[in-house]
Amino acid sequence: MSADDRRDPHTLPTGDDASEPGAEDGEGEPTHHAFWADAVADAVEARDPDDPVVIKGGVSPSGVAHLGNFNEIIRGYFVAEVLRERGHEVRQVFTSDDKDPLRKVPRKLADPDGNIVGLGEVDAGALGRNLGKPYTDIPDPFGEKESYAAHFASLLKADADRLGVPVEMVSNTDLYADGTFEPVVRKALERVDDAREVLGQYQDKVDETYVPFNPVCAECGKVTEAVTAVDLEAGTVEYECTGMEAGGNEIEGCGHAGTATFREGKLPWRFEWPGQWGVLGVDFEPFGKDHAEGSWPSGVDIAENVLDVEPPVPMVYEWFTLNGEALSSSAGNIVTVPEILDLLEPEVLRYFFALDPKKARDLNLERLDQLVDRFDRFERAYFGEVDDEELTRFAERAYPFVVEEVREERVRLPYTFAAVLGMVEDLDFREQLARDEGHFDADTPDWAVADALKRVEKARAWAERMDNEYNYRLQTELPAAEFDADVAAALDDLADFVAAGHDGEAIQGEMYETARRHDIEVSDFFAAGYRLFFDETQGPRLGEFLGELETDFVVERLRREA
C-alpha cells in the first residue's frame, strides 16, 4: 500500500459522517451509516481480508488497569461484532507490552478484584527493586500471579469478561520467547540503515550507532539500549549494560558486557508496534489521539519501508475525561471497570463507548444520572418511543450491540428515582413504591420487575460514593421524636395536603407556606420532617422525596402514627 493509498487516520468516518468514502450502494452513491462501527467495517472489508479478521488493541502494564485502558477493547468490540454480523470470523486480540521495562513505581495499583489500593497495602519493594526490568520479570505485588504483568493482564481480561467482550490477551514476552518476533527483529537489524533513516525523521538522537534492539542483561535482568555489534548469521547481538533513560531519569545498568539472542530482548516501541501488525496479521486497530501524530505515522513508515508490513485500518479516538479532568493514575483521577459497574449496568457503559469516538466526552460521576437518562432515552428510541429521527436511526442500528438481549418488556426505573428507592431498606416496600409510581403494572413480567429493581442498588452505591442528596436511609419504623405544639400542628396540616393527592413539587412548596402559617422557622419545620422520615436533621429535597413515596405511608408518618 503506497503512501498515497493510505487512509489518513484523522479522516476515517465515524457516526457523525454523512458517508463512508469507498462504500457505495447499488447505484454508486455513498452509503450513510448511523453507527460509526459500520463505516470502520466497510474500510476493513475494502482490504479484502482473509478470515479470521484480526482486530487489535494494546497497552503497557504500567499502573492501574482503569477504564481508560479499556477504550480500545470496547471500541474494537463493536467493529468485531459488526463484522461477525456480516459473516466474518473475527479474532480480537489485546497485546500486553509486557517486555517493556518498569520505568517508575506507580503510586497506586488495583488489587485482584479491581479495587484501587495504595502502595502501603502491597509489597511495593517488589516494584522498586525491579526498575528497568521487563514487567514479566517483576513479581506480582499481590502474590497471586506469576508476574506483575500477568496480574495486570488478568484485570483487563476480567473487565472484558464483565462486559461480554471475547478478547484474547497476547503477551509480547511470549511472542519473543517462542520466536514469533524473531523474523521481525532480524529484518529490522538486516535493514538497520533504513531503520535509522526512517526513524530519524520522527525521533531525535538517532545516529549511525543506533540499533533497533534492546537486549535484556543476563546479569542484572534490566533492559539496556547499548548494542555494540550484531551477528545476523548467529542471530545474536553484543551489548553493554549501560542502563536506560526513563522519563528524564537514568536507570543505571550493571556494566555487564554480554551476548543476547534475538529472543532475549525487545524491539523499541516504534518498531514493536508495526511488528505486531505483521506477526498477528492485524486488519484494524483503534488508538488514542496521542498516537495519531507521532507513533502512527512512524509506525506506518517503518512497517512499509523497513519491515514490509501492511498497516491496518486505523481509527483515532478522542480521550474521555473523568469528572472534567484528564485520566491520571499519578493524580488519582481514575476509575476501574468494577468500580463503574457498581454504579450502573454494563449496557450503560457499553452505550457510553458506542457514541461517536471522535467526540471528546466527560464521564462525570457526580452526574451519572444524566448518562443513565440518556441511555434510557436511547433505548426508548430503539422501540420507536422518541420523536428524534437521528437518535432513532442510531439506536436502531447500535442498540442490539449494546445490550445482551433485546427485550421489549424491559423496564428502566429513572436513575434518581432508583436512588430514592435506595433510601428504603425494605425490598417489598421498594417494589410497592415503584408500582405506586406506575413503573410496574399487573402485566409486567416478574423478570422485568426483578431486573428493574437491580438498578436500585446501583443508584444506592452512587449515592454513597458521591455522598449526595440521596445518601440517606428512610426509617421504616417511627423514630422517637417529640415536637412543640405549633410544629406538630404544622405537620398535621401538611399531612392533610399530602392526603389530597398533591405531587412532590407541590408538597415542597407547601412546606414553606405551612411553616409561615404556623409562624415557625422554615428550617425547624424541615428538620422535623427529616427527623420523622430519616431520623436526621437534614436530607434530600423533602417535599419532592415525599412525593415519590406511598401516600398513605407519608400521611401516617406526618401524623406520627406508628
Side-chain angles (χ1 to χ4, degrees):
M1 182 168 63
S2 70
D4 290 338
D5 292 331
R6 288 200 302 270
R7 186 182 301 278
D8 185 337
H10 293 283
T11 61
L12 185 65
T14 61
D16 279 355
D17 291 299
S19 63
E20 158 60 10
E24 300 180 345
D25 61 22
E27 299 179 355
E29 294 297 323
T31 302
H32 177 84
H33 288 307
F35 186 28
W36 57 268
D38 278 305
V40 177
D42 286 349
V44 173
E45 287 189 319
R47 294 164 55 97
D48 192 23
D50 295 328
D51 281 353
V53 176
V54 178
I55 291 175
K56 191 186 91 67
V59 68
S60 181
S62 56
V64 174
H66 56 73
L67 189 59
N69 300 133
F70 202 68
N71 255 322
E72 292 169 28
I73 293 178
I74 191 66
R75 297 190 194 279
Y77 166 75
F78 288 122
V79 178
E81 287 296 283
V82 168
L83 288 167
R84 291 184 180 113
E85 181 189 60
R86 297 183 184 186
H88 292 280
E89 180 186 352
V90 181
R91 180 188 180 205
Q92 186 177 355
V93 301
F94 196 76
T95 54
S96 176
D97 300 335
D98 51 20
K99 203 157 188 178
D100 288 2
L102 174 65
R103 297 175 180 272
K104 64 179 181 179
V105 176
R107 294 185 182 182
K108 294 186 177 182
L109 296 172
D111 69 17
D113 295 322
N115 303 308
I116 297 175
V117 300
L119 294 185
E121 301 178 55
V122 300
D123 180 9
L127 297 173
R129 292 189 297 270
N130 288 284
L131 286 173
K133 295 182 181 180
Y135 289 105
T136 40
D137 291 339
I138 297 173
D140 175 11
F142 297 93
E144 295 194 5
K145 299 294 182 181
E146 60 269 26
S147 68
Y148 173 72
H151 166 75
F152 189 96
S154 70
L155 293 177
L156 284 176
K157 181 62 169 66
D159 290 344
D161 292 343
R162 289 181 179 99
L163 287 164
V165 178
V167 67
E168 175 187 345
M169 301 301 295
V170 175
S171 163
N172 269 0
T173 297
D174 291 346
L175 295 180
Y176 285 106
D178 66 15
T180 300
F181 253 128
E182 192 164 355
V184 182
V185 174
R186 179 175 294 276
K187 179 157 287 188
L189 297 182
E190 283 176 343
R191 304 180 67 174
V192 66
D193 290 337
D194 292 335
R196 291 166 181 161
E197 180 181 353
V198 171
L199 185 61
Q201 300 174 51
Y202 304 93
Q203 189 170 294
D204 295 333
K205 300 180 182 179
V206 178
D207 57 23
E208 66 279 0
T209 67
Y210 176 81
V211 177
F213 189 69
N214 303 143
V216 175
C217 177
E219 188 70 21
C220 69
K222 294 180 181 178
V223 176
T224 186
E225 299 172 344
V227 173
T228 57
V230 176
D231 187 335
L232 292 172
E233 184 175 349
T236 60
V237 300
E238 304 294 321
Y239 67 87
E240 293 181 4
C241 184
T242 58
M244 62 181 303
E245 183 178 339
N249 299 317
E250 289 291 333
I251 297 177
E252 294 184 1
C254 68
H256 174 71
T259 302
T261 70
F262 292 170
R263 300 187 184 192
E264 297 172 334
K266 69 180 299 293
L267 292 163
W269 157 245
R270 288 181 186 261
F271 289 83
E272 192 170 75
W273 192 22
Q276 292 171 344
W277 301 338
V279 301
L280 296 174
V282 180
D283 296 295
F284 165 65
E285 180 161 7
F287 48 86
K289 64 179 183 179
D290 53 328
H291 290 312
E293 297 180 359
S295 304
W296 169 253
S298 69
V300 169
D301 211 342
I302 289 169
E304 295 180 340
N305 297 308
V306 180
L307 302 180
D308 296 328
V309 168
E310 182 181 9
V313 171
M315 185 188 77
V316 180
Y317 58 79
E318 270 284 349
W319 296 326
F320 70 88
T321 54
L322 179 66
N323 305 323
E325 302 290 338
L327 287 163
S328 172
S329 295
S330 60
N333 193 45
I334 51 176
V335 64
T336 66
V337 170
E339 284 182 321
I340 199 70
L341 291 182
D342 282 342
L343 311 181
L344 46 73
E345 299 98 332
E347 53 264 38
V348 181
L349 185 57
R350 285 195 289 263
Y351 160 76
F352 178 78
F353 285 110
L355 298 170
D356 182 1
K358 283 192 173 181
K359 287 189 175 181
R361 302 183 192 279
D362 183 49
L363 182 63
N364 188 334
L365 298 186
E366 290 186 355
R367 297 318 315 265
L368 211 56
D369 57 309
Q370 296 180 348
L371 171 63
V372 180
D373 288 347
R374 289 194 294 272
F375 165 77
D376 290 351
R377 187 167 185 265
F378 163 78
E379 185 172 63
R380 292 195 303 274
Y382 175 80
F383 293 107
E385 300 172 10
V386 176
D387 185 18
D388 184 324
E389 183 177 348
E390 184 176 355
L391 175 62
T392 298
R393 289 182 62 255
F394 171 55
E396 287 176 346
R397 182 61 186 135
Y399 178 75
F401 298 110
V402 167
V403 295
E404 186 174 340
E405 181 181 4
V406 175
R407 304 183 76 171
E408 191 168 2
E409 301 97 332
R410 184 174 277 119
V411 175
R412 302 288 186 185
L413 299 177
Y415 195 69
T416 50
F417 177 67
V420 168
L421 296 187
M423 301 180 192
V424 178
E425 297 286 354
D426 187 293
L427 301 185
D428 292 334
F429 192 25
R430 289 181 183 177
E431 181 177 336
Q432 185 59 51
L433 291 173
R435 289 188 182 278
D436 291 342
E437 287 296 307
H439 294 292
F440 310 136
D441 58 30
D443 295 326
T444 306
D446 290 343
W447 67 263
V449 173
D451 278 2
L453 290 172
K454 290 178 183 177
R455 178 172 282 183
V456 175
E457 289 303 322
K458 305 283 187 184
R460 178 168 175 159
W462 169 67
E464 290 174 348
R465 177 168 178 142
M466 297 296 104
D467 193 21
N468 59 24
E469 61 184 303
Y470 302 101
N471 190 23
Y472 297 92
R473 297 292 171 262
L474 178 68
Q475 300 298 303
T476 55
E477 301 294 332
L478 178 65
E482 295 183 0
F483 304 104
D484 293 339
D486 52 355
V487 173
L491 290 171
D492 290 336
D493 281 0
L494 183 63
D496 293 338
F497 185 84
V498 173
H502 295 285
D503 64 15
E505 185 176 352
I507 296 171
Q508 181 76 10
E510 180 63 18
M511 291 192 69
Y512 288 92
E513 296 302 321
T514 301
R516 294 188 184 101
R517 285 199 304 271
H518 288 267
D519 196 25
I520 57 178
E521 292 291 333
V522 170
S523 59
D524 291 342
F525 189 44
F526 273 89
Y530 289 132
R531 181 64 66 192
L532 281 176
F533 289 92
F534 302 106
D535 202 16
E536 300 274 359
T537 57
Q538 60 183 5
R541 286 176 60 84
L542 187 57
E544 295 179 6
F545 172 74
L546 298 182
E548 302 283 4
L549 300 180
E550 185 181 25
T551 299
D552 289 345
F553 172 82
V554 174
V555 171
E556 290 176 1
R557 183 59 59 88
L558 288 172
R559 290 174 177 163
R560 285 85 67 208
E561 297 173 355

